[in-house]
Amino acid sequence: TLSLPKLGRKLLPVHRSDVERTSWQVVHDGSRLQVDLDVGTLHCGAREAPLEEVEFELLQGSPEAVVAAARELAATLPARLGVLSKAER
């Protein structure tokens, strides 16, 4: 059996993200999206890196609208499309 109190003593954080998030709900190509802007710092041991990330989430409608909105934003800002999580980076 899994004992959470015992397991909890063995778990250590691998990374931490300190971010401030701003969220908007928008309609793009007839679909409802949530757009989140995260600004902060990723910490992994003694290393840290700045973080500026925009996340798109489909709330209702077409998945293609999410990709189209992300591409439009990336075309106007110094940004690139990516699928890695904060932990994977």
Side-chain angles (χ1 to χ4, degrees):
T1 74
L2 179 64
S3 173
L4 292 180
K6 288 182 184 177
L7 182 61
R9 287 192 293 262
K10 295 178 183 177
L11 294 177
L12 296 173
V14 174
H15 71 90
R16 183 180 89 238
S17 56
D18 295 320
V19 298
E20 186 170 316
R21 174 170 279 189
T22 305
S23 297
W24 301 269
Q25 287 195 11
V26 299
V27 175
H28 185 78
D29 291 344
S31 295
R32 195 163 55 95
L33 313 176
Q34 179 166 319
V35 181
D36 299 319
L37 171 64
D38 291 344
V39 177
T41 307
L42 294 176
H43 305 272
C44 185
R47 296 171 47 201
E48 62 180 49
L51 169 73
E52 294 177 339
E53 175 178 85
V54 179
E55 297 178 10
F56 292 83
E57 179 181 350
L58 178 63
L59 300 176
Q60 183 178 31
S62 166
E64 291 82 9
V66 177
V67 175
R71 284 189 175 142
E72 281 185 33
L73 184 64
T76 63
L77 298 173
R80 63 178 172 78
L81 297 181
V83 297
L84 296 178
S85 70
K86 290 175 185 70
E88 290 171 313
R89 284 187 262 147

